[in-house]
Amino acid sequence: MPEDLPTPEKSIQEIEKEHSIMRKMGLPKQTGEYAVGTFTYTVKNDRKEIMRQGGMRSVAARVYYPVLRESVKGLTKAVALSDNMLKGIKDTFKVVPDFRKNPESNLTECYLNANRIPGKKFPLIMFNHAYNSYREGNSCLCTELASNGYVVISVDHSHEAVCSEFDDGTVLFFDKTIKKKMYKPMIGGIITMLKLVRLAIFESCSQMMVRSLAIQLFSGKRIED
């Protein structure tokens, strides 16, 4: 391995150091006029699960919504990363934050099942987390939006997220075979693309040769071998 590249052990140490700094700093405070409530729910329908055969499709989601600041006094804050989520992160990325010394650093600025504001309506934002992430992965952004007067629903992607937790207690972790399923059909497409590029270059060169010959013929110049 080149000397200018960090070793895997060094990279892990650097990441752990960053997590340590983040624990000391804590999560950012929201800037909006509202406090934020949160709850989870699971949607089940009759569509068959295509990612893994043998079951029906279920979708988990977390909702962030504006609430009055005085209504959250005494309420419990939601945990940022559950034990299942920590396991999923460790299995996927091999590195996981350690909250044992400071459990409060694993608490969000969202309050579980806080009372809604009666008669008040807010715009809805559907949040879609990235591949190999999780529905709480951008909780700081979702909390910030909710504090400024938006209802945010962060939708989970079963089998593609590091961990999916459903309200009935079911847990699904990241399916590592998905990458193979994703890349396999791409290989044929890449080969076809390369063939098309090769054909296009060949046709372009052929047209240039024909054009050059035509110019020489019509100009009366002798065509040399």
Side-chain angles (χ1 to χ4, degrees):
M1 181 176 290
E3 296 182 357
D4 58 337
L5 293 178
T7 62
E9 291 77 13
K10 184 178 180 181
S11 298
I12 292 175
Q13 291 172 357
E14 290 176 349
I15 294 173
E16 290 178 342
K17 183 179 179 180
E18 291 176 358
H19 285 159
S20 177
I21 295 173
M22 289 176 64
R23 286 196 295 271
K24 293 178 181 179
M25 293 176 59
L27 295 174
K29 300 289 185 180
Q30 61 266 28
T31 63
E33 61 177 301
Y34 298 101
V36 179
T38 186
F39 65 91
T40 62
Y41 71 94
T42 301
V43 175
K44 294 180 178 291
N45 58 28
D46 297 331
R47 196 183 86 177
K48 291 184 178 181
E49 176 60 77
I50 60 175
M51 301 295 291
R52 182 176 296 174
Q53 301 299 323
M56 308 305 290
R57 181 67 168 170
S58 297
V59 179
R62 177 173 289 280
V63 182
Y64 304 83
Y65 56 97
V67 297
L68 298 177
R69 292 193 175 276
E70 56 268 24
S71 69
V72 300
K73 293 180 180 179
L75 295 183
T76 302
K77 289 184 177 182
V79 172
L81 296 173
S82 66
D83 291 340
N84 288 322
M85 200 65 68
L86 289 170
K87 181 180 183 304
I89 293 174
K90 184 176 181 179
D91 291 344
T92 304
F93 301 109
K94 310 305 178 185
V95 178
V96 66
D98 185 1
F99 298 108
R100 289 174 296 182
K101 294 182 180 180
N102 185 14
E104 291 186 357
S105 62
N106 192 25
L107 296 178
T108 68
E109 291 301 316
C110 307
Y111 295 86
L112 294 172
N113 300 311
N115 291 329
R116 283 70 158 175
I117 303 176
K120 191 77 171 178
K121 294 183 179 181
F122 298 97
L124 174 65
I125 295 176
M126 299 295 293
F127 186 85
N128 196 28
H129 72 71
Y131 174 74
N132 210 196
S133 184
Y134 49 98
R135 68 184 179 188
E136 287 86 4
N138 292 82
S139 59
C140 292
L141 172 60
C142 295
T143 302
E144 173 66 13
L145 290 169
S147 75
N148 282 277
Y150 295 91
V151 174
V152 184
I153 300 179
S154 180
V155 182
D156 185 82
H157 296 273
S158 304
H159 307 292
E160 297 179 354
V162 295
C163 176
S164 300
E165 296 180 292
F166 302 94
D167 291 338
D168 62 0
T170 304
V171 179
L172 293 175
F173 293 103
F174 174 61
D175 185 354
K176 297 180 180 180
T177 65
I178 289 179
K179 291 183 179 180
K180 295 181 180 179
K181 297 175 183 177
M182 286 171 35
Y183 297 146
K184 188 175 180 179
M186 291 174 61
I187 295 174
I190 292 173
I191 293 174
T192 302
M193 181 188 69
L194 292 174
K195 289 181 177 179
L196 290 173
V197 170
R198 182 180 178 184
L199 179 61
I201 293 173
F202 175 78
E203 290 183 349
S204 177
C205 292
S206 298
Q207 291 176 3
M208 290 177 63
M209 291 177 63
V210 171
R211 189 179 299 112
S212 177
L213 289 171
I215 292 173
Q216 293 183 56
L217 286 170
F218 285 105
S219 64
K221 292 182 180 181
R222 180 180 177 181
I223 303 174
E224 298 181 354
D225 295 336

